[in-house]
Amino acid sequence: MSIGHVLLGVLSAGPAHGYDLKREHDARFPSAKPLAFGQVYSTLSRPERDGLVEVAETSQDGGPERTTYALTSAGRSHWRRGSRSPNRQGRMPLTTRSGRR
């Protein structure tokens, strides 16, 4: 499963900023190498370019700038289609923590 697919899965539960996306990835895959913050943003650039993800908000409350991402309607449809079919290894994809796909 790609990091991009994991990030789309996290966003399927609702908008999140890069720090939340990194934390959620690292929590779901504790034995994997921790995701670098820069990798979150570079990974989201492709689905953003493809219209699957959009910047919902950018804020700066005395700290570093935080960009919040959300799935677009096309991104939600893409996620639903992809989460219903087995991946290349024949396993069902990751669901969100709430159990939704």
Side-chain angles (χ1 to χ4, degrees), residues 1-25 28-29 35 39-49 51-57 66-80 83 94-98 100-101:
M1 179 177 306
S2 73
I3 293 170
H5 191 77
V6 171
L7 296 181
L8 289 179
V10 174
L11 289 172
S12 72
H17 58 72
Y19 297 99
D20 288 337
L21 293 168
K22 179 211 176 340
R23 252 185 256 117
E24 189 65 25
H25 172 275
R28 289 182 185 202
F29 300 98
L35 191 60
Q39 192 174 4
V40 170
Y41 300 108
S42 64
T43 300
L44 288 174
S45 66
R46 182 173 181 186
E48 185 178 13
R49 181 197 69 209
L52 304 177
V53 172
E54 64 186 356
V55 173
E57 178 183 55
R66 292 186 180 209
T67 302
T68 301
Y69 293 90
L71 287 180
T72 62
S73 58
R76 192 160 299 286
S77 295
H78 177 80
W79 169 251
R80 286 184 186 133
S83 67
L94 177 73
T95 59
T96 61
R97 289 207 172 205
S98 65
R100 294 181 301 162
R101 292 183 187 193

